[in-house]
């Protein structure tokens, strides 16, 4: 029985090369080569990185197409993309790493206010209150300790937000940038429970 190598391609477009296969002629049929699946008798061309051979449109020869399947890239706007199909290349402006983008003014203000609220909530939790608001509800408590802590929390909450709005007014007027979290907390002053 004669044998030779043929070169398989996938049944799905774009019919990429999948590997060699040994085929044969039977003793009963010496005029026809027999193999399983789809194959070409001519060897596919050599390919470079990010290339793969594929059967041409009429399945008579090979062409070389892009192979970036699984390649992840980013665009300048920060959007992430992954190539899922053969024959596609990343665009010329693709980035190999997520770009570092500066936050918008709106994002900075959102973070600024979240940092203040988180600080107040975390401080309240040091005395087992759920958050700043929970502590403030004890302002009329008949338990002196709770009423004192609530009064302090209210005074510090008010001072925090009063200063925050002054800072934001200056930011919006263009007279200062939004402070870093560390600088903001320094401006807001310490939080220390009264004894």
């Amino acid at each position: 029985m004669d044998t030779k190598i043929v070169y398989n391609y996938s049944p799905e477009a774009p019919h990429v090369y999948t590997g060699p296969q040994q085929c044969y002629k039977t003793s009963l049929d010496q005029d026809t080569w027999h193999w399983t699946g789809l194959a070409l008798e001519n060897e596919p061309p050599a390919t470079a990185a990010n290339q793969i051979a594929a059967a041409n449109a009429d399945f008579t020869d090979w062409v070389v197409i892009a192979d970036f399947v699984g390649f992840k890239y980013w665009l300048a706007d920060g959007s992430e993309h992954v190539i899922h199909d053969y024959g596609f290349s990343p665009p010329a402006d693709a980035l190999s790493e997520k770009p570092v983008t500066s936050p918008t003014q709106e994002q900075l203000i959102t973070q600024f206010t979240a940092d203040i609220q988180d600080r107040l909530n975390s401080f309240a939790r040091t005395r087992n209150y759920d958050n700043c608001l929970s502590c403030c509800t004890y302002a009329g408590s008949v338990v002196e300790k709770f009423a004192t802590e609530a009064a302090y929390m209210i005074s510090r909450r008010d001072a925090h937000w009063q200063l925050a709005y002054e800072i934001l007014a200056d930011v919006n007027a263009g007279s200062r940038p939004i402070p870093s979290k560390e600088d903001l907390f320094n401006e807001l002053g310490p939080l220390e429970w009264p004894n």
Side-chain angles (χ1 to χ4, degrees):
M1 181 177 358
D2 292 331
T3 62
K4 76 171 187 173
I5 301 297
V6 294
Y7 304 91
N8 292 90
Y9 57 85
S10 66
E12 302 85 20
H15 309 290
V16 297
Y17 173 59
T18 58
Q21 174 189 171
Q22 187 169 302
C23 64
Y24 60 91
K25 289 181 179 180
T26 65
S27 56
L28 299 176
D29 183 3
Q30 285 293 303
D31 295 327
T32 306
W33 288 102
H34 299 276
W35 62 77
T36 59
L38 303 170
L40 294 175
E41 294 184 52
N42 51 321
E43 187 174 357
T47 55
N50 301 116
Q51 294 181 334
I52 192 167
N56 66 8
D58 58 3
F59 305 104
T60 58
D61 203 356
W62 298 99
V63 292
V64 175
I65 63 172
D67 178 9
F68 285 89
V69 173
F71 183 81
K72 183 189 295 187
Y73 65 93
W74 289 264
L75 296 179
D77 65 3
S79 60
E80 180 181 308
H81 304 269
V82 178
I83 297 177
H84 297 286
D85 299 308
Y86 294 105
F88 293 90
S89 298
D93 59 347
L95 303 170
S96 60
E97 295 180 358
K98 184 174 183 173
V100 176
T101 55
S102 298
T104 64
Q105 187 76 353
E106 185 177 313
Q107 290 170 325
L108 288 171
I109 290 171
T110 298
Q111 187 60 54
F112 173 86
T113 56
D115 288 342
I116 293 170
Q117 194 60 55
D118 287 346
R119 183 180 199 228
L120 293 169
N121 289 338
S122 295
F123 179 68
R125 288 187 197 105
T126 65
R127 288 284 171 101
N128 298 316
Y129 297 102
D130 292 334
N131 50 39
C132 174
L133 178 61
S134 170
C135 180
C136 291
T137 64
Y138 284 87
S141 176
V142 295
V143 178
E144 184 180 345
K145 176 185 183 309
F146 297 158
T148 301
E149 290 174 349
Y152 179 76
M153 187 87 255
I154 290 168
S155 72
R156 295 309 297 141
R157 178 199 62 189
D158 292 353
H160 273 53
W161 289 112
Q162 181 179 11
L163 181 57
Y165 285 117
E166 290 171 7
I167 291 170
L168 288 178
D170 290 343
V171 168
N172 290 330
S175 60
R176 71 173 291 180
I178 290 182
S180 68
K181 184 175 181 178
E182 182 180 356
D183 289 343
L184 171 63
F185 288 0
N186 285 336
E187 283 190 61
L188 292 171
L191 289 170
E192 297 173 354
W193 291 111
N195 291 332

